[in-house]
Amino acid sequence: MMLTNSRKFQVVGEYEQAEPLLEDFPDVTPDVVLMDIGLPGISGIEAASRLKREYPYVQIIMLTVYDDDEKVFQAICAGASGYVSKNVNAEKLVEAVEDAFNGGTPISPHIASKVLQMFKDNLPTKNVSYSLTKRELKVLEHLVQGDDYKTIADKLFLSNYTVRAHTRNIYDKLHVHSKSQAVAKALKENLLPA
Amino acid sequence: MMLTNSRKFQVVGEYEQAEPLLEDFPDVTPDVVLMDIGLPGISGIEAASRLKREYPYVQIIMLTVYDDDEKVFQAICAGASGYVSKNVNAEKLVEAVEDAFNGGTPISPHIASKVLQMFKDNLPTKNVSYSLTKRELKVLEHLVQGDDYKTIADKLFLSNYTVRAHTRNIYDKLHVHSKSQAVAKALKENLLPA
DNA sequence: TTAAAAATAGAACATTCGGGCTATTTGTAG
DNA sequence: CTACAAATAGCCCGAATGTTCTATTTTTAA
């Protein structure tokens, strides 16, 4: 109702479930889809994912009462173009549809907080400095690639004794005692320059 | 001007540069700060970062004409609570300030697109299935922790021969030939359940 | 210009690892 | 019930690794 009253666009279909929508879609071809996250049958997220896969141009706005991280996360991955709280007024909803149509991503401030928080959480951890030298970093890079000493030596034009010496120093600085530990630490703590 | 006309809040200060703001801040103590990203002297991002560090409660909205990933990224890291395009109308701006004050994160749809795109780019690569068995996954977990065969055997109450059998199977499935390679692949491709 | 840090190279030795095998027991899907 | 996959366990051997050393040359910082 909120949308039907708007003159800016036309409501071409309404569905209680995802299945019939997916079936009819090729015929109705809307520009923007408003999708409830919690649908009976196929979930809104799954439906969004399928829609996007088959009709990449369609803009999908997720309507949601949930704000738990997992749902938001999944919705993002599904390729939705907007995340709007269910209890918005008509005006906001109309705006959101317009924004989505114009290639923007309308997000309710409350949900945006979630997204940013997740984003920060996913950020590579701050490069705790173990003060590895340039050479040591270089060797570490190769260790992460799974090269053995001899291979590294060849690639860096070094004696394999030297490579072993560097590795030893790396182990000391990282407080580890094996290649796998060093690799794990390097990757988990993002010690290598991107 | 856009804001001064609003009755919903009070403009307690205006600054052309960040330095005097930082200096005055303890006296004016605003709830919400609107910050231009491209300031002369200390950049808006740096200023936001400092403000947040010293006064974590303050809500900062970045006003920006830039939409390049790097700027948006930095702003997020600086802890800003909103990212609004400079060319918004008064109404939107007032809303943004309210949202921020209420703990939300107002983001212009255009900028939100950027954020989500970055988010997706940072996502762990899709879990390509190497069809590792439960046991193999368990062993892989320990390999990532840097345990040697004997240690893993002890922890899982297995013969170290069994652990080696599992690692061989893991190597086959991941197409690798060493612990470090396996660890690298496991971490890079997120093969382990979080 | 001198002292310290980094990079290089080497040796010896015990331990671990990787790969090629075989084989039994336990689940599990038809 | 019965194949078949998974999990378990074992052996051998050569190659790679981890550790403990020493030592020379090159860079860098003071």
Side-chain angles (χ1 to χ4, degrees):
Chain A
M1 282 204 298
M2 274 151 57
L3 295 171
T4 315
N5 291 335
S6 168
R7 299 233 185 78
K8 296 184 174 170
F9 39 72
Q10 203 187 342
V11 176
V12 297
E14 295 175 56
Y15 299 84
E16 292 286 326
Q17 297 193 20
E19 289 85 345
L21 163 64
L22 290 166
E23 216 170 282
D24 290 6
F25 197 91
D27 299 322
V28 285
T29 60
D31 296 300
V32 177
V33 173
L34 284 168
M35 181 90 70
D36 193 307
I37 270 195
L39 288 176
I42 298 177
S43 81
I45 288 170
E46 172 61 22
S49 185
R50 293 196 200 178
L51 268 187
K52 261 293 178 186
R53 190 159 49 238
E54 295 195 48
Y55 315 96
Y57 60 86
V58 68
Q59 300 296 101
I60 302 173
I61 299 177
M62 304 303 286
L63 278 176
T64 178
V65 286
Y66 308 102
D67 61 354
D68 68 291
D69 290 4
E70 189 52 27
K71 283 278 194 306
V72 173
F73 179 80
Q74 289 177 343
I76 291 176
C77 294
S81 322
Y83 313 86
V84 178
S85 191
K86 256 190 172 178
N87 50 1
V88 292
N89 55 41
E91 195 194 340
K92 281 269 166 53
L93 195 56
V94 169
E95 261 178 37
V97 174
E98 287 180 296
D99 285 336
F101 179 70
N102 292 322
T105 302
I107 304 186
S108 296
H110 183 220
I111 295 174
S113 301
K114 292 277 170 192
V115 175
L116 286 200
Q117 194 49 54
M118 284 191 289
F119 188 76
K120 285 187 200 169
D121 292 346
N122 259 322
L123 239 48
T125 59
K126 51 198 163 295
N127 187 331
V128 184
S129 180
Y130 294 95
S131 50
L132 295 177
T133 67
K134 286 178 199 170
R135 216 52 176 157
E136 285 160 2
L137 273 176
K138 199 77 197 157
V139 170
L140 184 54
E141 268 179 51
H142 287 279
L143 289 179
V144 167
Q145 279 161 38
D147 294 340
D148 62 17
Y149 295 146
K150 182 155 168 21
T151 308
I152 298 175
D154 288 349
K155 287 184 179 173
L156 298 182
F157 306 105
L158 292 173
S159 146
N160 72 322
Y161 291 110
T162 306
V163 176
R164 286 157 67 80
H166 285 309
T167 320
R168 184 93 279 295
N169 292 332
I170 292 171
Y171 288 180
D172 283 347
K173 289 182 179 177
L174 301 190
H175 305 296
V176 298
H177 305 279
S178 73
K179 287 211 291 187
S180 47
Q181 285 178 331
V183 168
K185 198 150 192 168
L187 289 175
K188 283 178 183 168
E189 302 188 18
N190 235 96
L191 300 181
L192 298 175
Chain B
M1 281 204 299
M2 275 152 60
L3 294 172
T4 315
N5 290 335
S6 169
R7 298 230 187 82
K8 297 184 175 171
F9 39 73
Q10 204 186 342
V11 177
V12 296
E14 296 175 55
Y15 298 85
E16 293 285 328
Q17 295 193 23
E19 287 84 346
L21 162 64
L22 290 167
E23 216 170 282
D24 289 6
F25 197 88
D27 300 322
V28 285
T29 60
D31 296 300
V32 178
V33 173
L34 284 167
M35 180 89 72
D36 194 306
I37 272 196
L39 288 176
I42 299 178
S43 81
I45 288 172
E46 173 60 23
S49 184
R50 293 195 198 178
L51 267 189
K52 263 290 176 187
R53 188 157 52 238
E54 294 196 49
Y55 316 96
Y57 61 87
V58 69
Q59 301 297 100
I60 302 172
I61 298 176
M62 304 303 287
L63 278 176
T64 176
V65 286
Y66 307 102
D67 61 353
D68 70 289
D69 289 4
E70 190 52 27
K71 284 279 194 305
V72 173
F73 179 81
Q74 289 176 343
I76 291 177
C77 294
S81 322
Y83 312 88
V84 178
S85 191
K86 256 190 173 176
N87 49 1
V88 292
N89 56 40
E91 195 195 341
K92 282 268 165 52
L93 195 55
V94 169
E95 262 177 39
V97 174
E98 286 180 295
D99 286 334
F101 178 70
N102 292 322
T105 303
I107 304 186
S108 296
H110 183 220
I111 295 174
S113 301
K114 291 278 171 194
V115 175
L116 286 199
Q117 194 51 52
M118 282 190 288
F119 188 75
K120 286 188 199 170
D121 293 346
N122 261 323
L123 238 48
T125 59
K126 52 192 161 294
N127 186 330
V128 184
S129 177
Y130 294 96
S131 51
L132 295 178
T133 67
K134 288 177 197 171
R135 214 54 175 156
E136 285 160 3
L137 273 175
K138 198 75 198 158
V139 170
L140 184 54
E141 268 179 52
H142 287 278
L143 289 177
V144 167
Q145 280 161 39
D147 294 339
D148 62 18
Y149 295 146
K150 175 137 179 31
T151 307
I152 298 176
D154 287 349
K155 287 185 180 174
L156 298 183
F157 306 106
L158 291 172
S159 147
N160 71 325
Y161 291 112
T162 305
V163 175
R164 300 198 47 216
H166 286 309
T167 45
R168 274 199 284 271
N169 292 331
I170 292 171
Y171 288 0
D172 283 347
K173 291 181 179 176
L174 300 191
H175 306 296
V176 299
H177 306 279
S178 74
K179 288 212 291 186
S180 47
Q181 286 177 331
V183 168
K185 198 151 192 169
L187 288 176
K188 283 180 184 170
E189 304 189 17
N190 235 99
L191 300 182
L192 298 177

